[in-house]
Amino acid sequence: MIRWRRLVLAAALASALPAASAVDVLHRERSLYQTILITEDRNRICMQFSVREQQRNQSCFNPRRPKRMVFTYTRMMMGALLLEPEPVNVLIAGLGGGTLPTALHDLLPEAHIDTVEIDPAVVAAARRYFGFATGERQVVHVRDARVFIKRAVTDDVRYDLVMLDAFGGDYIPEHLMTREFLDEVRALMTDGGVLAANTFATSRLYDHESETYRAAFGMFFNLRLRESNNRVILARNGPLPDKAELRANAAAWRGRLRAYDVPIREFPARLSLDVDWDVTRRPLTDQYAPANLLRGD
Amino acid sequence: MAAHVPYRATWLNARVLLVNALAFCGGFSIMSLELLGGRILAPWFGGSIYVWGSIITVFMLALSLGYLIGGRLSLRAPTLAKFGGILTVAAVILYPTVHLAEPTMVWVFERIEDPRYGSLVASLMLFVAPTVVLGAISPYSVRLLVRQREESGKVAGTLYFVSTLGSALGTLATSFYFVLWFEIDTIVTCLAGLLLGLGALAVAVGVNTEAPA
């Protein structure tokens, strides 16, 4: 009997110990908006907003190869460079660990990057654990993205690249997924300006969201890769480029993106104009925006 | 006189039921509107915690005023017809929110940069008036149903129970289902319609059954 107990105990310890020692929690914080968890394992540091398994890692980096983009969706967001290869004014909604703003800051020496993040605790964690540094060309605004964008439209500010990456944890900010919001984003974009949006590829929300983007932008590219549950929408304030232009931009960016692990040469073939969603679904509006309920269905 | 007793008993029950139904719908409308308030303000002032702070502050403030006013009104020859009138007024004040929300928020957004104060001022402008009137329902309904001092606590307790139950149901129905099925303006219009319908019913019943003082 005692022997059995010992065996069970040893087995339990054996299974629990590696997990406990492999992932260290560096920081845990309940901020105003979410639980922020910073973890470290053998080769990466991660920021998590959700305790749910599938939604776990928001932002990760490998301190030995800090440039390398760990997540497929982050690499997919860089596909925006196929449509606008040399953006000068960039707006990013949602900071996370600062992977996108840091990469764009390094890759585009002329660019000015404004990042909007609602949660001051995320900004602090990105600085402390992810080496995110602000400066003259790298500015963070602690504000609700919708309010920032509405204000920027009135102030006549324009961007040639807008990246929406504000949906992270368990809760979608519903006022950032409506036709009116996208109209405001479009009003903020220069002629030919590009939008890259990290969105959902599953649930009924996919149909509603796709219809919402179509209502605001008309045709757009869908970028999906097999290894990711996300899809990235690439839209333009103007006509979309043809395949030849996309391939040329991919070739031009290929070398510079190698250190980031962005397989940009594969992207042009993956950009789809197919309407692969149910077009009878209602676009989301400020009047009708149950994104979280639709996602749960 | 004796022949009137059975009739009077049924009438009293119907009256109690009606007052309770009105209190229930008052509670339902208050919380449904409060939840929708967050959705109405979000496009202009965001979804930050202080937007909810503004809304809750304004609703609490308006309700406290409403309780005070309802209590005062109940001193002046209270009748079911007048009670129905309060709900009708609430409906009439609530409905224009549908059309005034957008221009009001534009006006505030252009003048106040800080979304904390912007959301506070917009909430004040949009939600104080209907919520004050809805708040007057509770104390007035207590006065209508209390006949003896000894039962006043029981009557008040029952009415708080009924109206707070309405609030709970209004919160649940709005956040779980209404926003999934309907547009915000449709929900607000239906709330106003409900208040108007019940208010008019109370006025009609009151005018036909209450002897002039």
Side-chain angles (χ1 to χ4, degrees), chain B residues 24-35:
Chain B
F24 181 88
C25 289
F28 188 100
S29 308
I30 289 167
M31 281 316 292
S32 181
L33 183 66
E34 185 167 343
L35 264 177

Side-chain angles (χ1 to χ4, degrees), chain A residues 31-50:
Chain A
S31 77
L32 279 176
Y33 301 95
Q34 57 219 332
T35 299
I36 301 170
L37 204 62
I38 309 287
T39 58
E40 181 179 28
D41 62 19
R42 259 188 327 149
N43 46 28
R44 60 186 197 180
I45 294 178
C46 294
M47 183 187 286
Q48 301 170 188
F49 297 143
S50 169

Side-chain angles (χ1 to χ4, degrees), chain B residues 24-25 27-32 35 161-178 191:
Chain B
F24 181 88
C25 289
F28 188 100
S29 308
I30 289 167
M31 281 316 292
S32 181
L35 264 177
F161 165 76
V162 166
S163 80
T164 310
L165 203 66
S167 292
L169 208 72
T171 309
L172 187 87
T174 305
S175 60
F176 280 35
Y177 303 107
F178 291 173
L191 290 176

Side-chain angles (χ1 to χ4, degrees), chain A residues 99-115:
Chain A
T99 312
L100 283 170
T102 303
L104 291 175
H105 181 266
D106 295 348
L107 287 164
L108 302 161
E110 302 295 317
H112 176 95
I113 299 157
D114 285 315
T115 303

Side-chain angles (χ1 to χ4, degrees), chain A residues 66-88:
Chain A
K67 282 187 173 179
R68 183 178 174 271
M69 291 184 171
V70 173
F71 288 110
T72 310
Y73 86 83
T74 323
R75 299 178 195 148
M76 284 155 67
M77 288 293 276
M78 298 298 279
L81 295 169
L82 295 177
L83 283 74
E84 173 50 81
E86 298 295 337
V88 180

Side-chain angles (χ1 to χ4, degrees), chain B residues 117-201:
Chain B
Y117 300 106
S119 60
L120 187 63
V121 171
S123 308
L124 280 168
M125 293 171 75
L126 289 172
F127 305 123
V128 160
T131 314
V132 164
V133 183
L134 288 169
I137 292 175
S138 283
Y140 204 95
S141 61
V142 172
R143 175 63 187 87
L144 281 183
L145 296 188
V146 168
R147 282 162 307 172
Q148 290 146 13
R149 199 165 51 177
E150 301 81 62
E151 60 163 27
S152 58
K154 183 189 149 230
V155 169
T158 309
L159 279 164
Y160 289 157
F161 165 76
V162 166
S163 80
T164 310
L165 203 66
S167 292
L169 208 72
T171 309
L172 187 87
T174 305
S175 60
F176 280 35
Y177 303 107
F178 291 173
V179 294
L180 187 61
W181 296 334
F182 312 112
E183 299 202 330
I184 294 172
D185 287 352
T186 313
I187 305 171
V188 175
T189 307
C190 288
L191 290 176
L194 179 77
L195 292 169
L196 188 69
L198 278 171
L201 179 68

Side-chain angles (χ1 to χ4, degrees), chain A residues 32-33 118 144 146-147 150-151 154 174-175 204 282 285-290 293-294, chain B residues 39 42-49 109 112-113 175-176 179-185:
Chain A
L32 279 176
Y33 301 95
I118 195 169
D144 184 285
R146 182 86 190 249
V147 179
K150 216 185 256 287
R151 194 64 75 187
T154 1
E174 292 169 332
H175 60 301
R204 242 166 80 191
R282 282 164 85 170
T285 62
D286 284 345
Q287 283 285 324
Y288 178 77
L293 291 172
L294 292 167
Chain B
R39 298 303 280 267
W44 297 86
F45 307 103
S48 302
I49 191 163
F109 186 80
I112 304 174
E113 181 126 3
S175 60
F176 280 35
V179 294
L180 187 61
W181 296 334
F182 312 112
E183 299 202 330
I184 294 172
D185 287 352

